[in-house]
Amino acid sequence: AGVDPKYIRVPGSYTGKLNGGKKEGCTYGYSLKNISFVKQPYNQVFERVIGEINGVCIENLDMGRERTTANSTCTGFIAYLDGTVRNVHMKDVYLEGMSYVGSLVCHTENGAALIQDCSATNVTILYKEYPNTNTTACVGGLVGCLKDSRLENCYVRNVDIEASDLSTSNGIGGVVGYANQSTIDSAYATGDIHGRAMSVGGIVGRVSNNAGRVILKNLIARVNVTSNQTAVGGLVGELNITSGPI
């Protein structure tokens, strides 16, 4: 606590392997605690992960309050993931942001990302547009946007998402906001989602594809989902499959 965020943040592409030795429950190995990015132009610890992060516990993550610029469109522990994240467990997370918001990952890219055996507990997300901006929301309790990637055996407990201050929604979900040509296998969520938005679901807000395959398996949600718009569901808010198998 009290460390300047510029000494915590990892800019550019992280290509190494970080192994903290943690297992579920955060009883062994290394933890990252009390990370606070308040009044900052950026709101992520890792700008881009191409390598691997494994076995880390993250406690008391606070990001996005009173941000100083409209350019910060990714709020979460990792902004962009092209690599692998395994066995990362988060507890007591507060995020305030716009566009891509997810406690663990904002956005996966390039079809190479794998998120496996990860969790987040006690997650509060407030979607808040910067003044005089019009944004498209991709908000998830764990991942904002899952594109051409895999998420396996992950859960979010006690998520609370408030998404009323937004212009357009591309997906708001308890685990994943928007999934495109991706696999979500064995995921569950509990909590509440309140939104003035379309495409809101207990696990994933919106699922779509172009020609690639979409796999949804073993999903359980105990999430109270409320919205004054259409495309709202207990598991998936909107399923938009134009071609290919599911």
Side-chain angles (χ1 to χ4, degrees):
V3 179
D4 191 316
K6 71 182 179 182
Y7 297 116
I8 300 173
R9 187 170 183 262
V10 182
S13 296
Y14 178 77
T15 59
K17 292 185 178 181
L18 172 62
N19 192 330
K22 285 287 185 182
K23 295 183 179 180
E24 184 176 359
C26 296
T27 53
Y28 304 99
Y30 293 96
S31 294
L32 301 174
K33 296 183 178 181
N34 304 322
I35 300 173
S36 179
F37 284 20
V38 178
K39 296 183 179 180
Q40 297 297 318
Y42 40 72
N43 293 296
Q44 61 277 152
V45 174
F46 287 90
E47 183 176 356
R48 183 181 298 272
V49 171
I50 299 175
E52 180 177 336
I53 297 177
N54 187 11
V56 177
C57 183
I58 302 158
E59 297 184 54
N60 300 322
L61 179 67
D62 187 336
M63 287 186 160
R65 297 180 196 260
E66 302 178 57
R67 60 192 185 278
T68 59
T69 175
N71 294 328
S72 181
T73 57
C74 284
T75 303
F77 186 69
I78 301 168
Y80 296 98
L81 176 66
D82 302 330
T84 299
V85 177
R86 286 190 176 96
N87 233 351
V88 173
H89 303 284
M90 311 182 73
K91 182 180 178 182
D92 299 330
V93 177
Y94 178 86
L95 304 177
E96 187 175 304
M98 62 183 187
S99 296
Y100 299 104
V101 184
S103 59
L104 182 58
V105 177
C106 299
H107 199 305
T108 68
E109 292 191 322
N110 300 329
L114 170 64
I115 301 168
Q116 189 177 64
D117 300 323
C118 295
S119 70
T121 302
N122 301 334
V123 177
T124 299
I125 297 175
L126 175 62
Y127 192 90
K128 189 174 182 180
E129 290 189 337
Y130 199 77
N132 302 316
T133 60
N134 293 309
T135 61
T136 299
C138 291
V139 182
L142 201 65
V143 180
C145 177
L146 190 73
K147 184 177 181 182
D148 299 313
S149 302
R150 289 182 293 152
L151 182 143
E152 301 173 352
N153 194 31
C154 295
Y155 66 83
V156 180
R157 290 178 178 150
N158 193 26
V159 65
D160 186 358
I161 300 175
E162 176 63 47
S164 297
D165 181 20
L166 78 169
S167 300
T168 308
S169 169
N170 209 17
I172 299 169
V175 178
V176 176
Y178 171 52
N180 178 259
Q181 296 184 182
S182 294
T183 294
I184 302 176
D185 186 354
S186 301
Y188 80 84
T190 66
D192 297 275
I193 302 175
H194 308 278
R196 184 183 58 82
M198 294 178 60
S199 306
V200 184
I203 295 294
V204 56
R206 182 170 181 253
V207 177
S208 68
N209 78 334
N210 297 319
R213 187 173 185 179
V214 173
I215 298 176
L216 303 175
K217 294 172 60 179
N218 303 320
L219 308 181
I220 299 173
R222 293 182 175 90
V223 180
N224 298 315
V225 180
T226 58
S227 175
N228 63 354
Q229 303 294 320
T230 59
V232 178
L235 289 177
V236 178
E238 179 182 1
L239 189 61
N240 182 16
I241 305 299
T242 57
S243 63
I246 180 170

